Amino acid sequence: MTVLAVGLALLGSLFFALGAALQQFEAASTVNVNLRHLIRRPRWLLGGLAIAVGTALHIVALKYGPLTVVQPMGVASLLFALPCAAALQRRRPQPGELAAAAVIAIGLIGLVLVVPEHTGDPHLSTGGAATLLAGAATAALALWITARQASPAARAGLLAMAAGVLYGATATLTRVLVDGNWEPWFLLAVPMPALIALALLQRAYAVGHFGISFATLQVADPLTAVAFGALLLGEPLPTSTSSMLIALAAAALTAAGTVALARTTPMSPTHDAIAR
């Protein structure tokens, strides 16, 4: 069953990567980067469908294999995404960008594996949910404001980070809805950060630095969910010296790989002024 779980998780990662590459290609090639315009573009919708299929496959994989096996396989989407994006741009992926992506993937796997699994049912009070949403919104707003004055590569990363923070908040709320105790208004609260995150991510994609955007999203989303889980749901963090050292080394690898990716990935055609 574990082999089946790995296969499903890898296939899910491929679909997720393909969907992200399709959406970035559309966002970077349009003069009107908003969701109302993008949902009219068949290729962008196809990308959304691919992402949905990838997510579903990942969920099914969790039914056949442990989290510690399935989650690291999700990191493979970063390695799949760059060749998909390069193919859409009719170019070959550069060895440097693939190497940088591999370094980021190794770092992400390290971070995923050192986080202890929480087996209890999560509980989030009304005050905790309000804190979650307010904190995510404040962080995303600060990142968006900073991105407006940043260089194109930094802007792509900051906008994707803002999206990742909001997606992490959405994931935390969703986990409570699925597995824990919750208030009825949580159902109404979930779509808002997800939609804002999607809009921010399309603006990040429109800048043209797909590798930076996608890698930053891959880092910010799970780390935000882990942080909110620890702060608001009482989920454990690594406490042993060895685990903390591994986490620091993994974070350093992830940061170094992201910087290297910014220097090696070519910029795709974009409407830079609109991405501002």
Side-chain angles (χ1 to χ4, degrees):
M1 287 297 185
T2 301
V3 174
L4 176 61
V6 170
L8 288 171
L10 286 174
L11 186 60
S13 294
L14 177 58
F15 272 97
F16 192 87
L18 177 60
L22 285 169
Q23 290 196 333
Q24 190 273 338
F25 185 83
E26 288 299 304
S29 60
T30 181
V31 296
N32 196 0
V33 189
N34 62 64
L35 294 181
R36 285 184 299 176
H37 177 74
L38 288 171
I39 60 175
R40 299 172 187 171
R41 300 174 75 96
R43 188 153 40 189
W44 190 89
L45 289 174
L46 182 61
L49 178 62
I51 290 172
V53 171
T55 302
L57 286 169
H58 188 81
I59 293 172
V60 173
L62 288 171
K63 293 185 176 294
Y64 293 101
L67 186 68
T68 52
V69 172
V70 174
Q71 285 293 80
M73 296 300 103
V75 176
S77 59
L78 178 58
L79 299 177
F80 294 144
L82 293 179
C84 288
L88 287 171
Q89 297 168 18
R90 297 183 180 181
R91 66 174 180 85
R92 292 183 178 180
Q94 297 181 4
E97 62 181 320
L98 293 178
V103 170
I104 297 171
I106 292 170
L108 279 173
I109 290 172
L111 290 171
V112 167
L113 292 179
V114 297
V115 176
E117 186 174 357
H118 184 56
T119 56
D121 293 332
H123 174 75
L124 190 62
S125 65
T126 296
T131 300
L132 170 78
L133 293 172
T138 301
L141 179 60
L143 289 165
W144 176 73
I145 292 173
T146 305
R148 291 174 65 85
Q149 306 301 323
S151 65
R155 190 184 316 140
L158 289 167
L159 289 172
M161 189 179 297
V165 168
L166 291 172
Y167 275 135
T170 304
T172 304
L173 273 178
T174 302
R175 184 168 185 272
V176 173
L177 288 171
V178 172
D179 297 326
N181 301 311
W182 47 276
E183 302 292 335
W185 70 270
F186 289 7
L187 288 170
L188 300 176
V190 167
M192 186 58 67
L195 286 174
I196 296 173
L198 181 60
L200 285 170
L201 185 59
Q202 301 314 305
R203 289 194 170 272
Y205 285 163
V207 177
H209 291 272
F210 176 59
I212 300 301
S213 302
F214 194 70
T216 303
L217 178 70
Q218 292 287 93
V219 174
D221 183 352
L223 289 187
T224 300
V226 168
F228 280 136
L231 291 172
L232 300 175
L233 304 181
E235 296 183 345
L237 289 174
T239 54
S240 67
T241 302
S242 59
S243 295
M244 293 180 69
L245 288 175
I246 292 173
L248 288 173
L253 279 176
T254 303
T258 303
V259 172
L261 194 60
R263 295 175 176 175
T264 57
T265 303
M267 189 173 182
S268 60
T270 181
H271 299 278
D272 185 63
I274 293 180
R276 290 179 183 274

